[in-house]
Amino acid sequence: MLFTASLPVSRKAHRIAVGALFFLQGLCFSSWGSRIPTIQQKLHLSETQLGAVLFALPVGLMLSLPFTGWLTSKIGSRKVVTIALLLYSVTLVLIGMSQSILHLSLVLFLFGFASNMANISVNTQAVGVESLYKKSIMASFHGLWSLAGFVGAAIGTFMIGAEVEPLQHFSLIMAVVMAGVAIAYQYAFPKDAAVPADQPLFVKPDKSLMGLGLIAFCSLICEGAMFDWSGVYFQKVVGAEKAWVAAGYTAFMSTMALTRFIADWLTSKLGLKRVLQLSGTLTTVGLAISVTFPSLVTAILGFLLVGAGVSAVVPLVYGVAGKTKTMAPSMALAAVSTIGFAGFLVGPPLIGLLAGISSLRLSFATIALMGVSVVILSGRIKTEEG
């Protein structure tokens, strides 16, 4: 028996281990993101070619969704997250070794596949740990993922400045991830909730899970739009000087990360529905301010509010989905992730389409309606609190 300590010590060890796994997952993703310009330059890719190559990542992610949920229900999230993070770090190194568009596309497909394996299994781990605490702690785990984003970006910036090749950079990250996984595995949550032996590969989500998926869908449309279009918005609509073009993205990421560390506390004080409705309200107000008053200061303020608004939605929705009694936690998370992640894919091209028809400013105003949708849909979900 691995866990012989008393429950408070054991659950703290579980929480630290799972938090470390979230951090390692975020470190892999942000390390890749920080070197995209370097890889584009190395392979002499145009913007069009890069866009086509990058599409391989979400394709791999989407195709892994049903498989990962099923596999996690069969062999357990601890084994799957271990396999997934090791594969994630190895494919990161393979990205650094890529010498052609075809090679990079194939590896990014695997990278996306491993990314979602890690995502579903580590969130299943978090659901297990949360059950020991009898309160919401899911958002703090996602906060560690966001924190890893800053760390990975900082390391990437240093590596670029020091002219370190992506292969050497990614090999270092792989070593860190492998060492971290080897340690965390011993203290990860040992056994998921019991599932039927005949659990099928595909399970149709019930009405409750569909509702949660739609909330995630609306929030992730906003999140995806902010990730891909914030810099363009500040450049073309706000008219920011070159040094301030990234200010909106930085503001958004900062409050998204920070708010995740207080979202669980807020949920315990206000309740899940109120926090989700507050989140949708902040998203709507932030986008409205940015669209109505597109000056540097007000746009930054608006993006700060949007970051705070989207921060807690997905973690809290995952937490509720993982407690469903109708199917295995991993299958429920896969179902909600499938619906939600579609929003992350739809958001950026929707912005571009609407901008082409009218203007970038109007497209951001339209995205604000997704925040309103989060408020409305959150009022209809069924939770333990009523």
Side-chain angles (χ1 to χ4, degrees), residues 25-319:
Q25 183 196 9
L27 186 63
C28 275
F29 183 80
S30 59
S31 297
W32 143 246
S34 71
R35 301 309 298 267
I36 291 176
T38 308
I39 293 169
Q40 179 184 15
Q41 185 177 16
K42 174 186 173 184
L43 298 182
H44 307 290
L45 303 177
S46 67
E47 276 70 25
T48 303
Q49 288 174 318
L50 178 62
V53 168
L54 291 178
F55 191 66
L57 197 156
V59 169
L61 190 152
M62 291 298 287
L63 289 179
S64 76
L65 280 165
F67 168 78
T68 300
W70 173 82
L71 181 65
T72 302
S73 70
K74 291 298 182 183
I75 69 173
S77 60
R78 183 164 71 157
K79 290 180 180 178
V80 175
V81 75
T82 301
I83 295 168
L85 284 175
L86 294 178
L87 178 60
Y88 206 22
S89 64
V90 169
T91 51
L92 185 63
V93 171
L94 293 177
I95 290 172
M97 296 171 63
S98 297
Q99 299 294 326
S100 68
I101 291 178
L102 179 59
H103 184 191
L104 181 59
S105 298
L106 290 173
V107 175
L108 283 178
F109 175 85
L110 290 175
F111 193 67
F113 199 97
S115 171
N116 189 65
M117 281 185 68
N119 181 48
I120 297 298
S121 53
V122 80
N123 275 287
T124 304
Q125 280 279 297
V127 168
V129 176
E130 193 173 60
S131 69
L132 297 178
Y133 279 80
K134 308 297 183 184
K135 64 178 182 179
S136 175
I137 60 171
M138 181 68 80
S140 62
F141 286 129
H142 285 251
L144 288 169
W145 189 96
S146 297
L147 179 63
F150 284 102
V151 173
I155 294 173
T157 301
F158 172 79
M159 293 293 184
I160 292 170
E163 298 184 350
V164 176
E165 287 294 315
L167 178 57
Q168 284 72 43
H169 173 190
F170 294 161
S171 295
L172 175 63
I173 299 299
M174 180 182 72
V176 171
V177 171
M178 287 186 168
V181 169
I183 296 170
Y185 178 82
Q186 304 174 65
Y187 304 100
F189 197 71
K191 190 175 181 180
D192 304 326
V195 298
D198 59 346
Q199 179 75 67
L201 180 60
F202 296 97
V203 180
K204 182 181 178 181
D206 58 23
K207 184 178 178 180
S208 175
L209 289 177
M210 283 292 294
L212 293 172
L214 287 174
I215 293 171
F217 175 86
C218 294
S219 185
L220 284 169
I221 282 184
C222 299
E223 194 172 323
M226 297 299 286
F227 273 122
D228 286 18
W229 286 94
S230 57
V232 179
Y233 189 84
F234 264 63
Q235 183 180 45
K236 294 188 175 181
V237 178
V238 177
E241 296 179 7
K242 188 175 181 180
W244 288 92
V245 166
Y249 178 78
T250 303
F252 166 76
M253 284 296 294
S254 297
T255 48
M256 186 171 76
L258 290 172
T259 307
R260 281 177 167 172
F261 287 108
I262 64 169
D264 294 317
W265 175 81
L266 277 176
T267 303
S268 69
K269 296 295 181 182
L270 303 178
L272 177 73
K273 287 186 180 181
R274 288 192 182 92
V275 172
L276 287 174
Q277 290 174 325
L278 176 61
S279 297
T281 302
L282 288 174
T283 301
T284 304
V285 172
L287 285 167
I289 290 173
S290 303
V291 170
T292 308
F293 309 103
S295 64
L296 183 64
V297 174
T298 51
I300 289 175
L301 172 62
F303 278 43
L304 285 169
L305 293 176
V306 176
V310 303
S311 64
V313 175
V314 171
L316 293 179
V317 163
Y318 278 8

Side-chain angles (χ1 to χ4, degrees), residues 229 232 236-237 348-364 366:
W229 286 94
V232 179
K236 294 188 175 181
V237 178
L350 179 62
I351 286 280
L353 177 64
L354 294 174
I357 295 173
S358 55
S359 68
L360 189 58
R361 196 173 172 187
L362 181 60
S363 63
F364 266 67
T366 305

